[in-house]
Amino acid sequence: MATKFGRLTAAITVLLVTVTSAAPNVCYNFRNVRIGGGGGFVPGIVFNPNHKGLAYARTDIGGAYRLKTDGSHEWEALQDGVNGTNWGDWYVDSIATDPIEISRVYLFTGAYTNGWDPNPAYIHRSVDYGRSFVKTALPFKGGGNMPGRGMGERLAIDPNNNRVLYVGARSGNGLWKSSDYGATWAKVTSFPQPGTWAPNPADVGGLDGDIIGVVWVTFDENSGYRGQGSKRIFVGVAEKGKETVFVSNDSGATWSAVAGQPIGHVPHKGVLSPKENVLYITYTDGAGPYDGGAGSIQKYNLTSSTWTDISPLKDSFGYGGVAIDAQAPGTLMVATLNQWWPDANIWRSTDSGKTWTGLWEWAPWPQKHYFDYDVSAAPWLYDPNSGEEFRKLVGWMIESLAIDPFDSNHFLYGTGATIFGSRDALKWGTKDARGIIKLESLATGIEETSIQAIIAPPVGPPLISAVGDIGGFVHNNLDKAPEIFHKNPNWATAKDIDFAGNAPTKLVRIGTDGSGSTSQVAISDDSGVTWREHPGAPQYINGGSVALSANGTAVLWRTGSGTLLNSPNGTAAFTASTGIADWSNPVIAADKRVATTFFAATDAGKTFYISTDSGKTFLPASVGGFTGTPFDMQPHPTAAGTSDLWLTTSTGLFRSKDAGKTFTKSAKVGRGYNFSLGAPKTAGAYPAIYLVGDVDGVAGVYRSDDEGKEWVKVNVAGKWGGGSPDGIPVAADLRVYGRVFLGTNGRGIFVAEKC
């Protein structure tokens, strides 16, 4: 009888769970915390040739953008609905704007062709300038964050029949065609060369081990008529030691290698100048965007079928971006792909490449600049302390370069950190009469940073960040770009950051530089205004996560290799903490009020540990008190002598009121990622909890005002997704109720505030 009642009770429980409604949505406004300048690599920029002011940019990890047409020269993100199920859509391998039906725009997406991304490539189709998309899966993968992502464009629309599109695939998958606006696709079986070259074939399963493939498609608009399609199509293939440029003269039915072409380097871009009947092609000896030690720019005359090397200079770099001026036939620009020293350069020619003038020229040292420099939109782009020899003004990794087809004064180019450009290019002048143009950051609205960690201390600046590639910032004004990134030390990537609970102006951050040139632990006593290296940090150790004791003296560091180290103060050498196995890779946190207390949780045995001697030794507080793999831990931010803490795992959100001896699971949370505790709804109440995770079976960003019992959903699916949920750092505002900061891996930082 007991067994029957037991089964009945279980059935009722399942039924009750089944009919439980999802957490309600509450109105929140999302906006970017302005870092400005873009913050990452912009491999592609395209102008619509037939609609003034319409332009798009693609990023390698942060989606696509459209240039606003209101004269502000700000960009608008097109893919903020991307979430954990479609995170690869932010990795845009190519982009195309329709020259006939101008509201149509297409994206070719997919993150990696190796095992890092299980998803296929997609073609995204929009008929409303990118406000919404419908997508089609392709039978191969894309590589929006892989070598060769700056080549292109791989995706192209026939300017004489816009129902027809071609896309070049990676991994030896060849050339593909659509005849129905990108809805369906078929392989072009007659195309003879899918590519065989990979940057490093020995890197099996890595980024460099895969075939780069078919990299650009260029239609000859002069070879057809509107509605009938173009007969001549050029295609570039990443290959070495054999032909790389192919042509069809019968609308893609048959193909052949273009006769007389140079062999040896890889063609990065192929741009047609229709009024000259000339194809300009840039070559480099690598896939880019980081490599390239030689190359050229070639001019292929379609009328005479002749090739001419028109390179401005042959040196230890290749050529990437190339653009023609539609208003002035014979005027073109070309960029070095990776001229690492002393700076990249862009050359301009007004005679089809016979003569060139650069943005700078040797004088002999320092180089003479023919531009004024304006980075007021993102002041951190200029480091006044880097020294003339190492300062990069023009940029690096310049694969995208475009001249506005309606305005010869206006050009844009992407770098590894921003979009630069000018609105007075006609002042460039000639070799005999040089002028000075204004080179400025024109990337406002593009926020492409990879946010590693964020904190919102209760005093001082509202937000401080640790950022991939550009280090991180003190954000004194959420709507203004910071003046400078973290300095002294400055690392390319800061991995984690923490503040002291009792002394919140004291901070610690860690970096990922394994070269040994600087310590990878930095300390600040003034909310990040100034920093100093921790002299006790070992060389060649980096990464991981960090926690700072409540009084700001002791540091607990779980290194990138999983080793747990501690230093009792800001100068003492780090030593190994005892009590936790190195391989257990614990989640760590500092008690925000008790200066000697640190916590750690491990997947091994579902064990929770406590240290009461500033991280020197850890003892188990409980075994099996929680389930799942630990992800994030947050002690109560304000309670004195607290034993109250929270832990997210792969199975939910857990709370302990006795310093980890016992745990209670939040009933509605099925999975937890990063979370944070912030200002309460009413003074003296329990802090509001902000969680990235699954509540009532639905993934999203949530807030609870009653200690995790009930939840409201902060984001709306399809409007803001944040990308992959395990890449969304969370920092709740301890001063303003209802405000939370959310980092992303590719779209910068958002501040979400109650409506």
Side-chain angles (χ1 to χ4, degrees), residues 41-46 56-59 95 149-150 153 269 399-400:
F41 182 39
V42 182
I45 301 170
V46 295
Y56 297 90
R58 62 180 173 96
T59 68
I95 191 168
R149 58 191 181 273
E153 293 292 322
K269 302 282 184 178
E399 290 271 37
S400 54

Side-chain angles (χ1 to χ4, degrees), residues 369-411:
H369 294 139
Y370 291 97
F371 60 89
D372 293 326
Y373 195 65
D374 181 1
V375 291
S376 56
W380 59 267
L381 286 166
Y382 180 84
D383 180 4
N385 301 316
S386 64
E388 183 72 21
E389 184 176 357
F390 302 102
R391 187 178 295 126
K392 302 291 184 286
L393 299 182
V394 180
W396 59 93
M397 296 163 55
I398 303 174
E399 290 271 37
S400 54
L401 174 61
I403 300 173
D404 189 331
F406 292 89
D407 184 359
S408 298
N409 267 313
H410 183 209
F411 73 90

Side-chain angles (χ1 to χ4, degrees), residues 165-437:
L165 293 87
Y166 282 81
V167 67
R170 294 171 178 266
S171 312
N173 286 301
L175 182 67
W176 292 68
K177 179 182 179 181
S178 172
S179 299
D180 56 6
Y181 295 105
T184 61
W185 293 81
K187 189 172 184 177
V188 181
T189 56
S190 61
F191 189 73
Q193 173 58 293
T196 61
W197 177 73
N200 180 13
D203 187 26
V204 179
L207 292 178
D208 289 323
D210 195 26
I211 294 168
I212 302 297
V214 179
V215 295
W216 52 262
V217 179
T218 301
F219 289 91
D220 177 6
E221 64 182 72
N222 297 329
S223 67
Y225 298 95
R226 183 66 60 88
Q228 297 181 7
S230 303
K231 292 186 178 298
R232 185 181 292 124
I233 311 165
F234 293 94
V235 173
V237 179
E239 195 60 84
K240 285 188 173 182
K242 58 183 74 172
E243 289 89 353
T244 60
V245 180
F246 296 83
V247 64
S248 173
N249 291 300
D250 51 13
S251 301
T254 61
W255 300 83
S256 61
V258 179
Q261 65 181 279
I263 293 175
H265 291 158
V266 180
H268 274 235
K269 302 282 184 178
V271 175
L272 183 78
S273 178
K275 293 179 181 178
E276 296 180 275
N277 210 31
V278 163
L279 182 67
Y280 293 101
I281 304 174
T282 54
Y283 288 85
T284 300
D285 65 351
Y290 309 111
D291 59 352
S296 66
I297 173 171
Q298 303 282 335
K299 179 172 71 173
Y300 178 65
N301 189 304
L302 276 65
T303 303
S304 62
S305 300
T306 57
W307 292 81
T308 306
D309 187 334
I310 59 170
S311 306
L313 189 65
K314 291 292 187 67
D315 207 330
S316 57
F317 51 79
Y319 288 89
V322 60
I324 61 109
D325 186 344
Q327 298 293 316
T331 295
L332 68 151
M333 299 170 67
V334 68
T336 59
L337 175 54
N338 281 318
Q339 186 175 4
W340 293 107
W341 187 86
D343 200 353
N345 207 347
I346 296 177
W347 283 276
R348 182 172 181 265
S349 173
T350 58
D351 54 12
S352 303
K354 293 177 183 177
T355 61
W356 298 89
T357 51
L359 275 176
W360 61 265
E361 294 177 2
W362 293 108
W365 176 261
Q367 67 266 44
K368 182 173 177 57
H369 294 139
Y370 291 97
F371 60 89
D372 293 326
Y373 195 65
D374 181 1
V375 291
S376 56
W380 59 267
L381 286 166
Y382 180 84
D383 180 4
N385 301 316
S386 64
E388 183 72 21
E389 184 176 357
F390 302 102
R391 187 178 295 126
K392 302 291 184 286
L393 299 182
V394 180
W396 59 93
M397 296 163 55
I398 303 174
E399 290 271 37
S400 54
L401 174 61
I403 300 173
D404 189 331
F406 292 89
D407 184 359
S408 298
N409 267 313
H410 183 209
F411 73 90
L412 299 170
Y413 68 92
T415 76
T418 189
I419 292 178
F420 278 127
S422 178
R423 289 178 274 196
D424 59 2
L426 292 179
K427 293 181 180 180
W428 195 300
T430 64
K431 196 172 189 66
D432 297 324
R434 290 306 310 267
I436 303 295
I437 70 168

Side-chain angles (χ1 to χ4, degrees), residues 19-20 45-46 94 113 133 153 187 194 235 252 273 365 384 419 427-428 513 517 568 598 647 732 735 737:
V19 299
T20 299
I45 301 170
V46 295
S94 193
T113 60
F133 287 95
E153 293 292 322
K187 189 172 184 177
V235 173
S273 178
W365 176 261
I419 292 178
K427 293 181 180 180
W428 195 300
D513 183 353
S517 60
F598 287 90
L647 176 72
R735 290 171 268 187
Y737 167 70

Side-chain angles (χ1 to χ4, degrees), residues 564-579:
L564 198 60
L565 304 177
N566 73 90
S567 173
N569 55 56
T571 60
F574 279 82
T575 58
S577 302
T578 61

Side-chain angles (χ1 to χ4, degrees), residues 534 549 551-555 566-575 613-614 616:
H534 193 302
S549 66
N551 62 358
T553 56
V555 178
N566 73 90
S567 173
N569 55 56
T571 60
F574 279 82
T575 58
D613 58 2
S614 300
K616 295 184 181 71

Side-chain angles (χ1 to χ4, degrees), residues 456-651:
V459 299
L463 184 71
I464 305 172
S465 62
V467 182
D469 293 336
I470 56 175
F473 304 90
V474 174
H475 303 270
N476 290 300
N477 185 330
L478 302 179
D479 299 310
K480 184 178 179 181
E483 292 291 324
I484 195 66
F485 39 76
H486 297 313
K487 298 285 290 182
N488 302 320
N490 170 45
W491 316 302
T493 295
K495 189 63 177 174
D496 198 12
I497 191 167
D498 194 20
F499 69 90
N502 291 331
T505 62
K506 295 185 176 183
L507 312 176
V508 62
R509 65 182 166 97
I510 55 172
T512 62
D513 183 353
S515 69
S517 60
T518 62
S519 162
Q520 295 302 290
V521 181
I523 301 294
S524 175
D525 297 320
D526 53 12
S527 299
V529 176
T530 61
W531 295 88
R532 64 183 183 277
E533 289 184 41
H534 193 302
Q539 286 187 311
Y540 306 108
I541 304 296
N542 64 90
S545 61
V546 71
L548 185 62
S549 66
N551 62 358
T553 56
V555 178
L556 183 66
W557 181 17
R558 192 211 71 205
T559 69
S561 63
T563 302
L564 198 60
L565 304 177
N566 73 90
S567 173
N569 55 56
T571 60
F574 279 82
T575 58
S577 302
T578 61
I580 303 177
D582 284 350
W583 50 264
S584 61
N585 206 31
V587 171
I588 61 173
D591 191 294
K592 287 300 181 184
R593 287 293 178 259
V594 181
T596 57
T597 300
F598 287 90
F599 305 105
T602 69
D603 191 30
K606 315 303 177 188
T607 306
F608 194 88
Y609 295 86
I610 186 170
S611 170
T612 57
D613 58 2
S614 300
K616 295 184 181 71
T617 58
F618 282 84
L619 296 173
S622 64
V623 177
F626 58 86
T627 61
T629 301
F631 194 90
D632 190 20
M633 186 195 313
Q634 299 290 336
H636 192 294
T638 58
T642 182
S643 297
D644 188 0
L645 55 89
W646 297 78
L647 176 72
T648 52
T649 78
S650 56
T651 62

